[in-house]
Amino acid sequence: MQKIINFLIRNKIFLLYLFLLFISFIFTFQSHSYHQSKFLNSSNYITGSIYTFSDNITSYFGLREENNRLVEENKRLRDRLFNNVLLSPSRIDSTSFNYEIIRGRAINNSYADQRNYITINKGENDSIAQDMGVITDKGILGIVENTSNNFSTVQSILSDKSTINAKIKNSNHFGSLVWENTTDYNVVQLIDIPRLVPLTIGDTIVTGAMSSIFPENIPIGTIKSFDLDNSKSFYFINVELFNDMTNIGTIYIIKNLNRKEVLELEAETEANDQ
């Protein structure tokens, strides 16, 4: 019996000790700003870490929405760029056409064949038609070849059937962009540039003004090397593409609202000359 009484007495003393220690801790915390500050800083750190983690999660899942917003802004800027009328003393730039820009995505892409094509997720229901130009934010991609209700195939510039009007930037010297070296999908060729034209490695090649498909000055690539052709009258120019043709995502389809009128006028003119 005495052992039980002694045990209870010892435990009461121990519990009293713990109670007094707790009270002293509270007084210390309330009376010393340093201890209070450390406690609050620790609490704030934990709370801040939780908020940061939560914000990172929210930001991650908001990336697609933010990316879509930026792409739409990019499309609006291209609309304004392509529809800006640029006048010079001698000519009206091809950007005096009215262009509509339609955003889409590449859902299939071949680049290792002789006649490569790209499938995009826009079709006739989106007002896509044959012979519309297709670009990316880096440069030219190809021309719409076939359409269905919801999809289209684009003849890539990496096709031995592709021929696109192109020129040396900041000049009126233009030729035809083709793909003759079909083993290299980073390089295309510019032909029919006269030998009298001064060339420099690294010169930029852009779309020319002799097309109702692409506005003038859409980037293509830079001169990698050049030599004279067999006739020694024209250059054979290797152009390194700005686009990574193996990695195509967001694309822009260019609809020239005046193209039909231009083609009808040209056809009428040719018929009258015969």
Side-chain angles (χ1 to χ4, degrees):
M1 186 67 179
Q2 186 64 37
K3 290 182 179 181
I4 295 174
I5 294 173
N6 291 337
F7 175 78
L8 293 174
I9 292 173
R10 286 197 300 270
N11 280 277
K12 285 182 179 179
I13 295 174
F14 178 72
L15 291 174
L16 179 61
Y17 173 77
L18 289 179
F19 176 75
L20 292 175
L21 182 63
F22 178 73
I23 294 298
S24 65
F25 173 77
I26 292 175
F27 285 139
T28 301
F29 173 74
Q30 290 180 340
S31 61
H32 292 79
S33 60
Y34 172 77
H35 295 87
Q36 187 176 15
S37 174
K38 292 295 287 183
F39 178 82
L40 292 176
N41 285 341
S42 299
S43 177
N44 288 339
Y45 174 78
I46 294 171
T47 304
S49 297
I50 293 173
Y51 286 155
T52 300
F53 178 76
S54 175
D55 181 66
N56 288 339
I57 294 296
T58 303
S59 298
Y60 175 79
F61 287 105
L63 285 177
R64 180 177 293 275
E65 180 180 350
E66 177 66 13
N67 182 62
N68 286 336
R69 186 189 67 78
L70 292 174
V71 170
E72 283 298 322
E73 178 65 19
N74 196 11
K75 187 183 86 68
R76 285 193 293 271
L77 292 174
R78 290 181 185 279
D79 274 329
R80 294 176 60 185
L81 172 65
F82 295 156
N83 288 297
N84 184 32
V85 179
L86 303 176
L87 300 179
S88 68
S90 59
R91 63 187 175 88
I92 298 179
D93 199 289
S94 66
T95 50
S96 60
F97 289 119
N98 292 318
Y99 293 98
E100 178 184 345
I101 309 301
I102 302 168
R103 179 171 66 93
R105 284 193 64 81
I107 60 174
N108 189 35
N109 177 24
S110 67
Y111 51 84
D113 301 324
Q114 285 190 319
R115 295 181 178 177
N116 293 295
Y117 68 90
I118 298 160
T119 305
I120 61 175
N121 66 342
K122 298 293 179 180
E124 295 168 7
N125 291 342
D126 306 289
S127 301
I128 306 302
Q130 189 179 44
D131 292 333
M132 288 185 179
V134 183
I135 64 173
T136 71
D137 60 339
K138 294 181 179 179
I140 191 173
L141 191 60
I143 298 173
V144 173
E145 186 171 17
N146 295 298
T147 60
S148 65
N149 287 338
N150 300 302
F151 303 96
S152 300
T153 54
V154 177
Q155 182 187 96
S156 169
I157 55 175
L158 300 184
S159 170
D160 59 7
K161 293 172 57 180
S162 175
T163 302
I164 295 172
N165 181 255
K167 69 171 189 172
I168 302 165
K169 188 177 181 180
N170 299 324
S171 80
N172 291 320
H173 301 293
F174 64 88
S176 297
L177 193 75
V178 297
W179 191 46
E180 293 194 3
N181 182 6
T182 57
T183 61
D184 191 341
Y185 44 78
N186 293 314
V187 177
V188 294
Q189 286 69 47
L190 180 61
I191 58 175
D192 300 330
I193 299 292
R195 63 178 297 171
L196 298 178
V197 176
L199 298 179
T200 303
I201 302 296
D203 282 349
T204 299
I205 305 301
V206 297
T207 53
M210 308 300 170
S211 170
S212 60
I213 296 178
F214 292 103
E216 189 177 5
N217 294 318
I218 300 297
I220 296 173
T222 58
I223 295 179
K224 181 179 181 180
S225 63
F226 57 88
D227 200 354
L228 291 174
D229 63 11
N230 293 331
S231 70
K232 304 298 182 182
S233 300
F234 298 93
Y235 283 115
F236 183 87
I237 304 170
N238 286 310
V239 180
E240 188 166 13
L241 297 171
F242 289 131
N243 266 324
D244 178 359
M245 298 299 290
T246 68
N247 184 22
I248 303 299
T250 299
I251 54 95
Y252 301 93
I253 306 103
I254 302 172
K255 182 179 182 180
N256 182 352
L257 302 179
N258 291 334
R259 185 170 188 268
K260 182 179 179 181
E261 180 181 348
V262 171
L263 293 179
E264 289 176 351
L265 177 62
E266 291 176 347
E268 182 181 350
T269 302
E270 290 178 0
N272 292 336
D273 288 341
Q274 293 178 355

